[in-house]
Each structure stands twice: as structure tokens, then as C-alpha cells.
Amino acid sequence: MLQLEDMQLLRALGVSQSLAAAARLLDLTPPAVTVRLQRIEERMALRLATRAARGISLTDEGQRLVQEAIDILERIESIPSRVSGESSGVSGHLRVVAPFGFGREYIGPLVRDLHRSHPNLAISLILVESPLAAASGADAVVSIGHVKGSSWVGHFLAPNNRILCASPALARSLSKLKHPSELTRYDYLTLRENDEDVTRLRFTQHDAAGKRLSKAVTVRLNSALSSNDGTVVRDWAVNGLGVVARSEWDCARLIAEGKLVKVLPAWHLEPAPVMALTPTRQGLTIRQRVFLEAAKQAFSPAPWRS
């Protein structure tokens, strides 16, 4: 028979990418987690997890058992609010990781409103430069753009284009540009994050129906100024120090106010949709489902397009 601590271990395994990450959630050592998992497998006479190149991988039986453990624990943890008659049955602790700028602007208010709707739900919002690098133990990670080469499962939240823009004065001197290759003569303001090659931009052209008109064009731009803070880079662009590629969520208001102007508007950069990432698609907790539902409602329609 499974004990309460066994189900807690199974839940930790379900949201972790490795035994070490599960151990951190449970405040145990990795060897202790390994021993307890082996004992559960012996009692169940089932193989629940296998070691993989990137950590552990749950078997089909393991995934089903994790979901059963999550459901039982959530019912146990919601007993106080159900017995007391409180309307909010969502409790426990939700851990959310998000990037600095977007997190301050949108995820902070989202978490505030979510807690008001579910006062028994404790929420930790961690804002970092590279969300996936700090994702261990998180219930959900908010990411700008598709994540490549990751085992995390993406849930689409909102559209978000990347826009090449500059101050009005600089944009006037760029108004005669016809092709992205001509941008190499101008200063580019670089946002350095996630170890990406950020001075290499890929452009495409599309007709009114969205059909691509020609092959994609890749251009490496020259950068004298760079920062790991998007707000700093954006403000440099407003001050006329160079051209910048910024997310629509961050620059749409400034474009509407005339503080920034689109450069080469006939050419488009690859979009960077707003995504919520979870460790698995199956076995989501009530807390994760509540967060995803609240996020999808908050970004429908996308605030930067309304």
C-alpha cells in the first residue's frame, strides 16, 4: 500500500526532469529519492521510471500512477477548505518562472489576480533573465518564443511579433532602405539572452494573404551597444542610438505613441509567441490547470493588440 510520502514523491517526480530536481523539491538527497522510488516499484511490482540522457523518464505505468497520486493529494490538501465551506478549493503552492520584462508587465498582475480569486493558493513568481535555466522545480515557465531542444511542453498563450524599429529621427534616414542587407551600415542595439546569436536576423516577405513572396534573407548586423536587459535596449532605441528588434508586447505602445517607428515594414522577423511551458502534458495539477486557464483568459485578446 502506498503511503502519503510515497504519493508526494511520485508527484515530485512528475514535475521534475531528474531525481536531483525531485530531491530538491522534497528536501531530500538524490540517493534517498532513488531508494524510496525502488521501494515503491518493489511494492507495486512495476517499473515506474527509467534513467534517460536528460534525467528520468516515466513509464506508462509511472505516468498513470503519478496522475493518481496528484489527484489524491489534491483532494487531501483541499479538505480544510471543503470542510470549512470556503468557495476556493484550489490550494497548495504554485511556482511560476518568467522573464524579467514580460514578468513585471504582465505575469505579476496575472499572479495578483489569480491569488485574489484563489486566496488559499500560495504562488511564487520568480523573474529571471533565462527562464528555462531556472526552471527546475517550477510548475510553469512563461517563455517568449518557441523553445527548441527542450522536453518542456508548450501551451500557446498569445501571438507576439518581433518588430524592427528605431526612433522617428533615425527611421527617417532609413526610410529609403529596400532590403535588409542595407541595414549593415547602421548601428544595431543588441539584447543578449539565452546564449543566442542575437545579431543574426532572419527576414521574410509576405503578401496580404500571408503567403511568402521570396526566400528568407539572413543578415548579420553590427552592434556597438548591447545589454541583457530588454528595457535598456528599447530605451536606447527611443533615444536614437540605433535600430532594435523588439517584441510586439514591448514596443507596440511606443509605436502607437510615435516614440518608435517600424523599419523596413514590408519585411518581417520570425514571430516569438508567448508560451507557457509545463514539465509534462499529462498529469497536470489543478494549480497548473488554473494558471494556464487564467493566463489564456488574460491574453485573449493580446493586450498589446487591443
Side-chain angles (χ1 to χ4, degrees):
M1 179 181 295
L2 292 180
Q3 304 298 316
L4 181 63
E5 57 267 24
D6 295 328
M7 289 185 284
Q8 291 170 335
L9 183 143
L10 290 167
R11 179 170 64 181
L13 289 174
V15 301
S16 302
Q17 304 297 304
S18 66
L19 290 174
R24 286 192 293 272
L25 285 178
L26 298 168
D27 196 21
L28 297 171
T29 65
V33 171
T34 299
V35 170
R36 287 176 55 177
L37 175 60
Q38 290 173 344
R39 289 175 179 172
I40 295 173
E41 289 180 324
E42 290 171 1
R43 288 201 297 273
M44 298 291 296
L46 292 171
R47 173 58 68 89
L48 303 177
T50 58
R51 292 186 179 274
R54 294 184 176 179
I56 59 168
S57 175
L58 293 175
T59 64
D60 290 342
E61 294 81 3
Q63 291 177 353
R64 288 196 292 270
L65 187 57
V66 165
Q67 183 61 65
E68 290 286 346
I70 289 172
D71 292 342
I72 292 171
L73 287 172
E74 289 187 343
R75 284 195 56 79
I76 292 174
E77 292 168 353
S78 67
I79 286 174
S81 60
R82 287 188 284 115
V83 170
S84 65
E86 294 179 8
S87 59
S88 176
V90 182
S91 59
H93 192 180
L94 177 73
R95 302 168 185 83
V96 180
V97 178
F100 278 119
F102 190 82
R104 286 191 294 264
E105 185 77 15
Y106 292 106
I107 305 304
L110 169 64
V111 166
R112 175 201 63 203
D113 295 341
L114 183 61
H115 179 64
R116 285 174 175 171
S117 299
H118 303 281
N120 294 326
L121 179 61
I123 308 174
S124 294
L125 174 61
I126 300 95
L127 302 184
V128 294
E129 178 183 331
S130 302
L132 271 182
S136 179
D139 297 297
V141 175
V142 178
S143 173
I144 306 300
H146 294 291
V147 177
K148 301 175 183 177
S150 171
S151 61
W152 287 72
V153 178
H155 306 262
F156 177 83
L157 295 181
N160 174 55
N161 290 329
R162 294 173 66 235
I163 300 173
L164 193 70
C165 48
S167 67
L170 180 56
R172 281 193 292 272
S173 67
L174 298 170
S175 60
K176 295 182 180 180
L177 297 186
K178 301 297 183 183
H179 194 272
S181 61
E182 300 174 79
L183 289 167
T184 57
R185 303 195 301 266
Y186 299 88
D187 290 329
Y188 178 64
L189 305 172
T190 303
L191 174 63
R192 298 195 178 278
E193 56 183 356
N194 301 326
D195 298 323
E196 295 178 357
D197 188 355
V198 288
T199 61
R200 188 171 176 267
L201 300 183
R202 187 172 182 269
F203 294 85
T204 55
Q205 273 188 315
H206 301 84
D207 60 19
K211 182 179 179 180
R212 183 180 294 184
L213 296 176
S214 60
K215 290 184 178 180
V217 174
T218 300
V219 180
R220 185 178 295 280
L221 302 181
N222 300 312
S223 177
L225 288 175
S226 66
S227 174
N228 66 337
D229 188 294
T231 301
V232 169
V233 174
R234 182 203 65 196
D235 290 347
W236 283 342
V238 172
N239 294 328
L241 296 180
V243 180
V244 70
R246 287 302 293 149
S247 279
E248 181 183 2
W249 72 261
D250 187 41
C251 67
R253 176 179 56 83
L254 294 172
I255 291 174
E257 294 173 352
K259 296 179 180 178
L260 287 174
V261 177
K262 292 182 180 180
V263 174
L264 286 173
W267 293 85
H268 304 277
L269 296 169
E270 292 179 291
V274 180
M275 308 290 291
L277 311 177
T278 56
T280 60
R281 188 176 299 278
Q282 303 297 325
L284 295 180
T285 65
I286 291 177
R287 294 181 291 278
Q288 288 171 309
R289 292 197 292 269
V290 164
F291 174 78
L292 290 174
E293 180 181 349
K296 290 176 180 179
Q297 290 179 352
F299 298 123
S300 181
W304 45 91
R305 293 189 177 182
S306 61

